[in-house]
Amino acid sequence: MLITERHRLILELLKEKENVKIHDLVELTNSSESTLRRDLDQLEKQNYLKRVHGGASLLQRKREELSMVEKSTQNLKEKSMIAKYAAKLIEDGDCVYLDAGTTTYQMIQYLEGKNIVAVTNGIDHLDALLEKDINTYIIGGSVKKVTRAMIGSNAYESIQNYRFDKCFIGTNAIHHELGFTTPDPEEAQLKAKAIALSREPFILTDHRKFGEVSFSKFADLHQAKIITNEEESINLDKYKEKVEIFSVAF
């Protein structure tokens, strides 16, 4: 079978199933595992898919973005672990920025009793922070319905009035060459500014975001530390060459 035909069949199966195993492709193309691994490596370099242990996964669409409700039901165990680890890094007296998002929202339950100041652009974060008796400021701006985040030029102007000891930022995608990306340019601009205003920036993400690329870049890998969950199927070696990664085990 010609290589172009194999690649077509691989991508068609990926669109249908989103995740494929090497042995599925062996049966589909009647080719050897070594040949198919080379095919998958080549398709990954061309940004058609991402390699995972034993196979490949379909890349997310560059502008695709789930709502807060949809995100809140995904990978809850991983998000809670990551959030708990991140919250432990916050010390009494810190001024912190909590980006809008479900993992940063999960952090708030672990902040009780901490004498800190929090700044956020997440509308959903407000009640939870106030319930924990945390001194809270919200970035002003327009409200993005999908993520319930404050964004836009007013939000960007507002955030420049603050300086942070630490910031905790969500991301839709992480690529070892293309950095941290998110679908919305206005959210990307705000994330980038929060990182620039922070003494110690952290990106909170579960393992599924690695190898993905979204529409708008907001930082290079070296500009922040990553907190994620341990996952055998993801090889982080090429990331660890550029960024410090804290992997949280179950």
Side-chain angles (χ1 to χ4, degrees):
M1 184 181 290
L2 293 173
I3 186 171
T4 52
E5 179 66 8
R6 283 200 312 275
H7 286 187
R8 183 184 68 79
L9 290 173
I10 290 169
L11 294 175
E12 283 181 357
L13 187 62
L14 259 179
K15 286 179 183 177
E16 179 186 333
K17 299 179 68 175
E18 294 192 359
N19 297 283
V20 296
K21 298 293 185 183
I22 287 282
H23 64 78
D24 296 327
L25 298 175
V26 168
E27 293 179 7
L28 178 68
T29 64
N30 196 28
S31 305
S32 68
E33 288 191 10
S34 58
T35 296
L36 287 164
R37 286 195 182 92
R38 287 195 295 272
D39 287 342
L40 294 179
D41 287 341
Q42 184 175 343
L43 289 168
E44 183 180 46
K45 288 176 182 176
Q46 295 171 343
N47 290 322
Y48 285 113
L49 53 79
K50 69 173 180 178
R51 295 282 275 114
V52 297
H53 183 69
S57 292
L58 191 67
L59 289 169
Q60 67 179 13
R61 296 180 186 276
K62 299 294 182 285
R63 290 280 286 163
E64 184 177 36
E65 188 159 24
L66 299 178
S67 70
M68 283 291 286
V69 173
E70 291 170 316
K71 288 178 181 178
S72 68
T73 62
Q74 293 186 336
N75 315 324
L76 290 178
K77 192 171 183 181
E78 291 95 334
K79 288 178 180 178
S80 181
M81 280 183 4
I82 293 164
K84 186 175 183 179
Y85 183 95
K88 287 180 180 178
L89 300 176
I90 298 177
E91 303 168 296
D92 282 345
D94 276 347
C95 298
V96 301
Y97 179 79
L98 298 180
D99 188 28
T102 52
T103 309
T104 50
Y105 178 84
Q106 289 283 335
M107 286 179 65
I108 299 170
Q109 64 185 303
Y110 302 112
L111 297 180
E112 191 160 8
K114 289 189 184 269
N115 180 23
I116 62 172
V117 174
V119 180
T120 185
N121 71 322
I123 293 176
D124 288 339
H125 293 22
L126 282 180
D127 283 343
L129 285 164
L130 294 174
E131 282 177 12
K132 298 298 181 187
D133 201 26
I134 292 171
N135 190 8
T136 302
Y137 294 80
I138 188 164
I139 299 297
S142 60
V143 181
K144 182 177 176 181
K145 184 178 179 181
V146 175
T147 58
R148 295 179 60 80
M150 305 297 281
I151 60 169
S153 58
N154 287 340
Y156 187 77
E157 254 181 63
S158 179
I159 198 174
Q160 296 187 70
N161 294 319
Y162 304 102
R163 299 295 181 270
F164 311 112
D165 294 298
K166 301 176 178 80
C167 72
F168 299 89
I169 307 293
T171 188
N172 292 72
I174 306 174
H175 190 275
H176 67 283
E177 292 180 343
L178 304 177
F180 302 107
T181 51
T182 197
D184 189 321
E186 288 188 299
E187 283 203 72
Q189 186 183 43
L190 207 58
K191 290 174 190 285
K193 195 62 182 178
I195 288 171
L197 295 173
S198 297
R199 179 173 53 82
E200 201 171 4
F202 295 92
I203 304 294
L204 309 187
T205 179
D206 66 73
H207 68 276
R208 292 169 180 82
K209 308 292 178 60
F210 287 93
E212 296 280 355
V213 182
S214 196
F215 182 63
S216 302
K217 180 178 176 180
F218 63 87
D220 290 313
L221 286 184
H222 72 271
Q223 290 180 269
K225 300 172 184 178
I226 296 173
I227 304 174
T228 188
N229 61 293
E230 283 189 2
E231 173 56 46
E232 291 181 359
S233 66
I234 303 295
N235 185 345
L236 298 180
D237 289 347
K238 53 192 174 185
Y239 294 91
K240 290 177 179 177
E241 294 173 2
K242 299 180 179 180
V243 60
E244 187 173 359
I245 299 178
F246 303 97
S247 296
V248 186
F250 284 107

